[in-house]
Every structure is written in structure tokens, then in C-alpha cells.
Amino acid sequence: MMRDLSHDRSLLSINSITVKPWSFEQLVEGCARAGLSAISPWRDILLACGIERAGKLVRAHGMTVTGLCRGGMFPATDAAGRRAALDDNRRAVDEAAAIGAQCLILVVGGLPTGSRDLGGARRQVHDTLAELLPYARQAGIPLAIEPLHPMYAADRACVNTLAQANDLCDQLGDGVGVAIDTYHVWWDPDLARQIARAGRRILAYHVNDWLVPTTDLLLDRGMMGDGVIDLRAVRAMVEAAGYRGHCEVEILSAGNWWKRDPDEVLRICIERHQNVV
Amino acid sequence: MMRDLSHDRSLLSINSITVKPWSFEQLVEGCARAGLSAISPWRDILLACGIERAGKLVRAHGMTVTGLCRGGMFPATDAAGRRAALDDNRRAVDEAAAIGAQCLILVVGGLPTGSRDLGGARRQVHDTLAELLPYARQAGIPLAIEPLHPMYAADRACVNTLAQANDLCDQLGDGVGVAIDTYHVWWDPDLARQIARAGRRILAYHVNDWLVPTTDLLLDRGMMGDGVIDLRAVRAMVEAAGYRGHCEVEILSAGNWWKRDPDEVLRICIERHQNVV
């Protein structure tokens, strides 16, 4: 039985990149103004606001923080690079804890500069995750591995299917789960099976759409309903797997949504959340 | 034991899209001039030349035709559309036979206009293939299913992994195989296993490279060696699976290679074939 979202605002979370012109303060206040109670910030606006002040704002407005975007970027050319990545991820865990985020979203990173060793990059992701995990468990911050679309394998994430993310969860144990983003996984012929397999390990669910045509590999995501993803079908799978959390809108759109008034963007997110997601 | 290509020209095939400015006549004559003996034309230049004349040119120059690009585009909105696709594919089979092509490359098609039913499109691909197959068997033209990169799932091909193409081969039986293009499959964590599984069903092997950054979803493919694909590793897998055919260069590159003198492009293809592929 799918949840009825047709009058819902409580299960909608806004990822800060969707309303890119806004600062952290504006995000919290804008969402509150729109009757929303959940956000997922990127680290840049969080750090620009200041962690302590951001935590106070979150608590003052009773906001749920469905995730912090993002840790990851693990593969590196040498040991110093891997240590730097690990240090940065520990800081991200601390930041997630400070604002009470439900998880830390991981974009795991692609090939180190000059490398063609995709298998090696994937092994580095496993190994650095294993090293980070005790720290995250200690802090009580679940790590959400987000498989990214295969078109990002070289430069953003070498975990490109939910099957891979599930394998990593099996290998690493407690404290690790997955973030499922419709944009990244909608094409996967193995999707239904892998969502069922993920089950209770689904820590976050991100919604948006795949536009036809797509004019840019990174910055041309669509608003839910404007593309070809069968969003209702994917949510049905995710909920059948046991997920009861928020639907988080994450749209990178340099040519369209980033140019609009963020208050208008929120209004449309709410409308689509209720009618399309 | 991998084949030594370091002085080879005989296993290099040129897909006509790589030298887009050329007509079919220019392709045959240009390849002959460069000491090459294998081509893979797209249907547009073949039809512009005329099938009969094209066949004569191929035979006069002793050219091997490693494939005809392309059949496919099966999913349609209604029965009339599916019939039209089937008819067009039968014509493509005839054309492939007329020029002695080793296979007909299939780009299977994506979502019909207005549809979000990816599973339905995939079922249509299976069903129309099953309907086309007796005709292709009769003509002695093997059908090569080419899995396309997941970024083309909506508008070009809803077969997006080699696993899917292998599944279709299992279901359909003799007369169907796969075309493996490095650009489309290099990211796949299941690649080694699926290439081994494809085995003798590998009908064509296409080479090129994935550029970082990639600036266009369709027309920014790289020359072998200019990107991040471990081409030697992929060829090792393909040859270990039993493949002994050509390495066919297929590069769609509006901003770079299509602007160059095709004779120069061929020279560079030969050099990279010998040193990078």
C-alpha cells in the first residue's frame, strides 16, 4: 500500500541545490514559509552559515535534516590524497552530527587524475569506507552510499549501480546504507530486484526527472513530471522495500530552475510532490 | 594470449561515422588508400551511393564489411509504428546482405514518444526482434544487439547493459549476438563476467574513448587513447571470450574529429589501433 502524498507536505524534503541561489538561512526560512519541515543542505552553504548557527536555525524551526550532501570523493593518486579524503569525510561526519542530519550522503568519487584503473578506484572506495566507518558509527551518523549514473563513472562516482552499493553494504555491515536517486537509477534493468534487496538499508530517496533531450551531463535535471521517469513506480518499489522516509527533491538545473525565484520553485516542488511523485 | 596489433592494419575497421564528411565512395577509396581493408557503413551513405553500386565498390576493393549501422528503433506507440519498424529492419537486412556485411548492428530504440514505460519498451524490443529474426536467419545476416550507455535509455536504446543483451540472446537463440562498444560498456561493474558470458556471440567490437570532461551526450566521443577507458583490458576480455574479428573505430565527434581532414583521421586511427587498442 503506497502512502498517499496528495495533500502531504510533511514528507517533502528540499535539497539545497534545488534552490541554489539561497543561503542556508534563506533555505530554512523559505522552507518554513512554504509549510515545509525538512531540508538537506550541501556543505558549502552550511559552512558559509557556520555550523553552530546552522544547528540553532534547524532546531529553532523544528526542521528535519534528511541528509548532509556530501562526503565521499575517496579515490586518490597517493596515500596523502587518501588521508586527506578520509580527514575531510570525518569532518563531514562531525558536521552531519552537529545539525542532526539523518545520514551523510556519499558521492564516492571517480578515477584519480591520470588513472584508467576503474577497478582500483572501486577497491579504494571500499577500503576508505571501511576506514571511515568506525568514526561514523561512533558519531551515530549512517553513511548513505549513492550510486551515481554511469555517465559520472570517470569524474564523480565509480559506484554506478544499486547492485554495487548493496554489495558494499553487505561487505561493510552496520552503519552503511544506500541513497536512491531516481535520476541515477531509473534506467537500471535490475532496479526492482536491487531496491527490494536494499530493503531497510534505504537511507534516503531523491526525486527529480530525466529530460528528453538532456542538454548537459550535470546541470540539466528535470522537475518531477517534466521527464520520462515513472516516478510513481519507483516510489512503489522503495516503499514496498520498507522505506518510510522523506522524498527529497534534488535538481541541478543551470538553465531553468536555478534561474527562477526559489519561492516559486518550492511551490512547484510541493505541487509535483503531491501529484507526480 | 592477446593478438599483437602493433604492426596491424588488417584487423582495423572504420565505421563511416568516424569520417563523417565522406561519402560511401570516399570511404572505400580513402580506406584503400590508407592500406585498410574493412569498413562499417551507416545506411544513409550506403543509400546515397545506391546499394548496387556500393556492393560493386566493396567487391572491387576487396573490402570486408564488418557491419551495417544500423537497424533497430523497435518500440513504437502503436501497431502501425511497430509494423513500420519491422519493415524498415527487413530492408536493413536486405541491404546488409547486398553488401556482404558480417552483421546488422541494432540500436534497439528507447521510449516511444510520450511513454514512461521502460519495461514495456524492453518487451517490445524482445517481441519485434523475435519477429524479425526468421527473416534475418533466412538472409544469413546475424543480428548484433548493441547495448547503449544508460544515458541513451530514453531516446536511443533501452538495452543498456551487456547482461540485458546476453539475456535477449539466450531467449532468442541462433542468429542473434552482441556488439560490444567500449564507450557504452566501460563503466559496467559486471563487464568481465558478461563479456565471458557473451563468448562466441560477440559479433562486433567497437573502440573509441570516454573523454573527461564529456561536453555533449552524443557527439563528444574520444579517439582511443585520449580518454579514460582501459582499452587494452577490455580487448583482453573480448579476445579471451573467443573474439577474433576486427576492432572497429566508431567516433561521433562534432567538435573535433568531424572537423579534421578524414585522411588525417585515418592515419591517427591506425596509429592508435597499433599502440593503444
Side-chain angles (χ1 to χ4, degrees), chain A residues 111 115-116 118 122 149-151 153-155 160-161 164 186-189 209-210 212-217 225-230, chain B residues 111 115-116 118 122 149-151 153-155 160-161 164 186-189 209-210 212-217 225-230:
Chain A
L111 291 166
S115 168
R116 292 188 174 91
L118 194 56
R122 285 165 173 165
H149 194 285
M151 68 186 172
D155 49 0
N160 304 105
T161 62
Q164 264 183 295
W186 74 279
W187 59 271
D188 188 348
D209 217 331
W210 181 278
V212 179
T214 292
T215 59
D216 185 273
L217 273 82
D226 289 349
V228 297
I229 303 177
D230 187 348
Chain B
L111 292 166
S115 167
R116 291 188 175 91
L118 194 57
R122 285 167 172 164
H149 195 285
M151 67 186 175
D155 49 1
N160 304 106
T161 62
Q164 264 183 294
W186 75 279
W187 60 272
D188 187 347
D209 216 331
W210 180 278
V212 178
T214 292
T215 58
D216 186 273
L217 274 83
D226 289 350
V228 298
I229 303 178
D230 188 346

Side-chain angles (χ1 to χ4, degrees), chain A:
Chain A
M1 177 79 86
M2 279 180 77
R3 298 177 296 182
D4 176 11
L5 303 183
S6 62
H7 297 84
D8 174 77
R9 293 184 187 215
S10 68
L11 291 170
L12 172 58
S13 174
I14 302 296
N15 184 294
S16 66
I17 207 84
T18 305
V19 286
K20 193 167 187 288
W22 273 351
S23 67
F24 189 89
E25 294 87 336
Q26 288 173 311
L27 172 68
V28 171
E29 285 158 14
C31 285
R33 208 159 53 229
L36 301 178
S37 55
I39 58 168
S40 179
W42 281 56
R43 288 175 74 196
D44 55 348
I45 64 162
L46 180 64
L47 295 178
C49 174
I51 302 289
E52 199 173 336
R53 182 166 146 64
K56 280 181 189 159
L57 274 166
V58 163
R59 288 183 291 275
H61 285 84
M63 285 280 157
T64 297
V65 179
T66 56
L68 177 64
C69 291
R70 55 181 165 67
M73 298 295 163
F74 297 122
T77 308
D78 55 19
R82 284 190 288 278
R83 260 197 317 277
L86 190 59
D87 288 346
D88 185 58
N89 275 276
R90 288 189 177 124
R91 282 193 296 276
V93 167
D94 294 342
E95 294 161 18
I99 59 166
Q102 293 180 342
C103 64
L104 175 63
I105 301 289
L106 298 180
V107 171
V108 300
L111 291 166
T113 308
S115 168
R116 292 188 174 91
D117 182 8
L118 194 56
R122 285 165 173 165
R123 283 188 294 278
Q124 281 199 47
V125 167
H126 169 276
D127 294 350
T128 313
L129 258 175
E131 218 173 329
L132 174 64
L133 190 50
Y135 191 87
R137 282 182 186 140
Q138 185 81 27
I141 297 297
L143 301 176
I145 303 169
E146 182 170 3
L148 254 56
H149 194 285
M151 68 186 172
Y152 304 122
D155 49 0
R156 283 189 176 74
C158 59
V159 171
N160 304 105
T161 62
L162 188 50
Q164 264 183 295
N166 279 333
D167 287 347
L168 281 166
C169 290
D170 285 348
Q171 292 155 16
L172 293 164
D174 285 344
V176 185
V178 301
I180 295 178
D181 185 312
T182 55
Y183 191 80
H184 295 305
V185 304
W186 74 279
W187 59 271
D188 188 348
D190 204 24
L191 188 60
R193 205 165 62 97
Q194 294 298 333
I195 287 178
R197 178 182 164 208
R200 296 288 175 169
R201 295 183 298 201
I202 302 172
L203 300 175
Y205 180 53
H206 296 179
V207 293
N208 40 51
D209 217 331
W210 181 278
L211 299 176
V212 179
T214 292
T215 59
D216 185 273
L217 273 82
L218 186 62
L219 302 180
D220 190 32
R221 292 198 202 179
M223 176 65 68
M224 302 81 75
D226 289 349
V228 297
I229 303 177
D230 187 348
L231 289 163
R232 201 54 64 90
V234 181
R235 182 161 70 87
M237 296 176 204
V238 166
E239 294 191 4
Y243 183 74
R244 289 289 174 275
H246 290 72
C247 302
E248 178 182 323
V249 179
E250 185 179 37
I251 299 172
L252 292 76
S253 169
N256 184 358
W257 299 101
W258 288 357
K259 290 181 174 168
R260 302 205 195 185
D261 171 10
D263 286 305
E264 182 204 347
V265 174
L266 287 198
R267 279 195 301 276
I268 297 171
C269 286
I270 293 167
E271 190 261 319
R272 302 296 174 88
H273 170 74
Q274 296 178 343
N275 297 306
V276 176
V277 171

